Amino acid sequence: MNNDKFALPFYWNDYEDIAMSLYEKFGDDFTEAKIYRVRFTELLEWVLSLPNFKGTREESNEGHLEQIQSAWVYEWRDNQ
C-alpha cells in the first residue's frame, strides 16, 4: 500500500484510486464474484479506513459504492 506521506488524498469520486487501494489491501483474497457479494456496509467501512482517503461517511451513497465495486472488479481483472 502507498504509505507515502506525500501521496495525494482521494475522495468518493476517485473510484479508480479507491479500487487500487482495495486491491492492494486484499489482493486475490477477493475474486470477481466475491467482490460483487461484498455488502455495502462492509465496503463503506473498508473505504473509510484506507490511508489517504479523506471522504466522510456522510458524503457516501449507494452510487459511489457501486462505482467503487465495479472499479475494484476491473482492477482485479487487470491483475489476473
Side-chain angles (χ1 to χ4, degrees):
M1 222 175 249
N2 185 1
N3 290 324
D4 181 2
K5 66 180 179 180
F6 298 108
L8 294 174
F10 50 94
Y11 300 88
W12 286 110
N13 287 333
D14 299 319
Y15 308 124
E16 290 181 12
D17 293 325
I18 295 168
M20 284 190 286
S21 293
L22 289 170
Y23 183 77
E24 288 174 5
K25 181 174 183 173
F26 294 108
D28 292 327
D29 291 346
F30 282 84
T31 62
E32 180 175 346
K34 285 185 178 180
I35 293 169
Y36 279 126
R37 286 196 307 262
V38 170
R39 293 178 186 198
F40 283 167
T41 53
E42 282 183 299
L43 183 58
L44 173 64
E45 295 304 321
W46 294 343
V47 171
L48 290 171
S49 71
L50 293 173
N52 299 325
F53 182 75
K54 302 301 181 200
T56 66
R57 180 181 308 276
E58 294 75 28
E59 296 168 331
S60 72
N61 61 48
E62 190 171 322
H64 288 307
L65 296 170
E66 288 172 348
Q67 290 290 332
I68 291 166
Q69 203 172 37
S70 294
W72 186 7
V73 166
Y74 288 123
E75 184 65 27
W76 179 83
R77 287 179 186 168
D78 286 348
N79 286 282
Q80 298 309 302

